[in-house]
Amino acid sequence: MTETTGRRALLVHAHSESDSFVAAMRDTIAGALTDDGWEIDHSDLYAMGFNPVLSPADFTERRDADHLTYALEQRNGYETGTLAPDIMAEIAKVQAASLIVFTFPVFWFSVPAILKGWIDRTFVSGLFYRGRGIYGAGGMTGKKAFAAFSLGGREHMFGPGSIHGELETGMLRHFLQGSLGYVGMDVIEPFVAYHTPYLPIEDRTAALDALRDQVRDLDARAVLPMPDLGKFDKTFAPLG
């Protein structure tokens, strides 16, 4: 069970430069949410010097001192309160929030390594997911997730029949479904800023205005479809 607090959001930001367009997206989102009465916590991963590399040091005590099975030690560490303090701090922020927002640039068809590492270390087994406790039965059900990310490519490069394929169900499926949806969050259709390194200032301003409007109307935005556990048996084999 999660400890969600009303209209409280966590902004997880993964960009090293404070004057970047991604930082401007983060600030635009924060401003729109604040204007709408949200309380906001921040995890600015680069500014925090967040360590993205999982290791035995993530546990102050181990169930098995001889061999590290990371997911099992995560479960034990959360249950016994022996996870590293930086992990516990991030888990507490997620638990307190009803909305988790991610801002980042896309690198090599993926999220930045520091964000991937944040997920690896924070989305602990036993609390975020376990056994059949995934998707609609995941540990973070009831929470919403929203991502705003930038791309160097043009919009026509993405989608059905395009050179790079679809974003939500292709390039970033591992993140939107395999991480956020997997743990039970309702994943709101993301905001994509295309070709941003090459845009003139007026186009960047227009993109931020569009983002602000979308954040003000998050409840009306589509939620990405996720697997329905009712269509699978207890081994996750398809029924019928």
Side-chain angles (χ1 to χ4, degrees), residues 6-229:
R7 292 169 67 80
R8 192 176 193 93
L10 170 62
L11 271 60
V12 183
H13 178 65
H15 199 292
S16 63
E17 303 305 305
S18 62
D19 61 350
S20 65
F21 184 78
V22 175
M25 288 200 298
R26 177 215 36 211
D27 295 343
T28 296
I29 293 168
L33 290 175
T34 299
D35 289 346
D36 199 28
W38 287 77
E39 297 180 76
I40 299 176
D41 293 319
H42 291 269
S43 288
D44 186 337
L45 302 183
Y46 284 96
M48 294 162 57
F50 184 80
N51 176 13
V53 181
L54 57 84
S55 76
D58 290 346
F59 313 99
T60 59
E61 294 181 15
R62 294 261 296 278
R63 186 179 72 167
D64 184 345
D66 297 323
H67 178 76
L68 177 63
T69 303
Y70 195 79
L72 296 181
E73 292 295 348
Q74 280 185 318
R75 185 174 302 189
N76 177 70
Y78 182 75
E79 291 173 350
T80 60
T82 55
L83 289 171
D86 63 331
I87 298 174
M88 292 297 294
E90 296 307 297
I91 289 173
K93 291 180 191 177
V94 175
Q95 286 185 300
S98 58
L99 172 66
I100 320 298
V101 177
F102 299 87
T103 50
F104 58 90
V106 170
F107 292 158
W108 296 109
F109 283 35
S110 189
V111 300
I114 199 167
L115 176 53
K116 178 59 166 62
W118 182 86
I119 293 168
D120 288 346
R121 297 182 69 221
T122 303
F123 284 20
V124 297
S125 175
L127 175 65
F128 283 72
Y129 69 95
R130 65 163 62 227
R132 287 187 54 82
I134 59 175
Y135 295 121
M140 297 297 117
T141 55
K143 297 184 185 296
K144 294 184 178 181
F146 174 65
F149 50 86
S150 66
L151 290 163
R154 298 178 185 273
E155 188 169 0
H156 68 259
M157 298 177 181
F158 305 89
S162 68
I163 189 169
H164 296 315
E166 298 196 43
L167 281 170
E168 291 91 344
T169 58
M171 182 182 295
L172 289 179
R173 182 185 176 206
H174 65 90
F175 171 66
L176 297 170
Q177 177 179 333
S179 297
L180 308 182
Y182 189 86
V183 300
M185 295 184 190
D186 291 329
V187 184
I188 299 169
E189 186 178 69
F191 177 86
V192 188
Y194 296 96
H195 207 51
T196 52
Y198 316 103
L199 293 179
I201 186 63
E202 58 268 23
D203 289 347
R204 290 185 175 211
T205 300
L208 293 175
D209 288 342
L211 173 59
R212 184 180 296 106
D213 289 342
Q214 291 189 13
V215 172
R216 287 172 174 165
D217 203 23
L218 275 185
D219 288 342
R221 286 185 65 77
V223 173
L224 300 181
M226 296 293 161
D228 178 357
L229 294 182

